[in-house]
Amino acid sequence: MSRKEALSQFIQQIHGRPVVVKLNSGVDYRGVLACLDGYMNIALEQTEEYVNGQLKDKYGDAFIRGNNVLYISTHKRRAN
Amino acid sequence: MADEAEHVPAINVKEPLDLIRLSLDERIYVKMRNERELRGRLHAYDQHLNMVLGEVEETVTTIEIDEETYEEVYRTTKRTIPMLFVRGDGVILVSPPSMRAAI
């Protein structure tokens, strides 16, 4: 499998999965990944906003502008 | 089959911007840089997330340090704007009205 395939396979696999999206500001968004595009714009469902590890807000659906994204993680958020 | 080589993976054809398109003429919540929040009716948008919002309520949150107790005091300032053009690069998050009670 080429590296490019590995990347697109990861992106396919995480659709509909719970993810953690971290922004450059350090804010975390936990939710179910509805979709993403080439700019790394992200649509999340059942979104929870965590600031400094504390739940600050909830959104039913959320669009996150791609330029703010640091990473997308499939790992369950560690309890802290 | 020839189709096999061109097989497109069965990912959701929906793209994130569809979420914005479905929010046209609805009241949306926009989280901006510099601790600014907007709530308003989405009249138009483009691929950069430049937006035209109507009947906007802007909330600005500032953190002030109390000079005596050194406690952090969060102060919110609100104002309303009848019509607003928002430049897309300041946008962090957009949320449609669904499930948000207090918009």
Side-chain angles (χ1 to χ4, degrees):
Chain A
M1 181 167 56
S2 76
R3 286 169 194 187
K4 196 175 170 184
E5 282 171 5
L7 279 173
S8 57
Q9 195 179 49
F10 172 78
I11 287 165
Q12 284 164 42
Q13 281 174 351
I14 61 174
H15 278 91
R17 292 265 301 272
V19 293
V20 181
V21 177
K22 196 175 195 70
L23 305 191
N24 288 315
S25 61
V27 180
D28 279 353
Y29 291 92
R30 274 191 80 166
V32 176
L33 187 101
C35 54
L36 80 170
D37 67 14
Y39 297 107
M40 229 176 273
N41 293 327
I42 298 170
L44 284 180
E45 296 166 353
Q46 304 158 38
T47 312
E48 295 174 335
E49 179 181 85
Y50 288 85
V51 181
N52 299 323
Q54 288 186 312
L55 181 61
K56 278 285 154 67
D57 217 338
K58 289 184 179 184
Y59 311 95
D61 287 300
F63 173 98
I64 298 169
R65 198 172 191 267
N67 67 308
N68 302 293
V69 174
L70 183 64
Y71 64 65
I72 305 167
S73 161
T74 55
H75 286 266
K76 289 234 168 94
R77 197 167 192 285
R78 69 185 185 282
N80 53 352
Chain B
M1 278 172 62
D3 284 355
E4 208 105 27
E6 299 167 22
H7 176 71
V8 180
I11 52 167
N12 203 339
V13 290
K14 208 178 91 171
E15 60 171 16
L17 279 163
D18 291 348
L19 206 59
I20 310 296
R21 183 169 51 81
L22 293 169
S23 307
L24 277 169
D25 293 321
E26 306 271 6
R27 284 189 77 75
I28 59 166
Y29 165 82
V30 185
K31 189 180 172 73
M32 307 282 298
R33 290 169 178 271
N34 302 318
E35 308 297 326
R36 283 168 195 269
E37 296 168 294
L38 304 172
R39 288 171 179 83
R41 192 168 301 281
L42 180 66
H43 289 294
Y45 73 97
D46 66 14
Q47 69 272 34
H48 304 290
L49 270 301
N50 297 326
M51 290 182 285
V52 178
L53 297 175
E55 307 144 54
V56 188
E57 183 189 66
E58 183 195 46
T59 308
V60 185
T61 306
T62 52
I63 306 172
E64 292 178 13
I65 310 289
D66 190 294
E67 288 180 13
E68 290 173 7
T69 63
Y70 297 103
E71 280 180 303
E72 290 187 344
V73 182
Y74 290 87
R75 181 170 295 177
T76 60
T77 315
K78 290 189 182 188
R79 61 169 176 152
T80 57
I81 304 140
M83 193 67 85
L84 187 66
F85 179 92
V86 182
R87 187 177 155 96
D89 66 354
V91 173
I92 296 175
L93 178 145
V94 180
S95 184
S98 61
M99 288 176 66
R100 283 191 69 85
I103 276 200

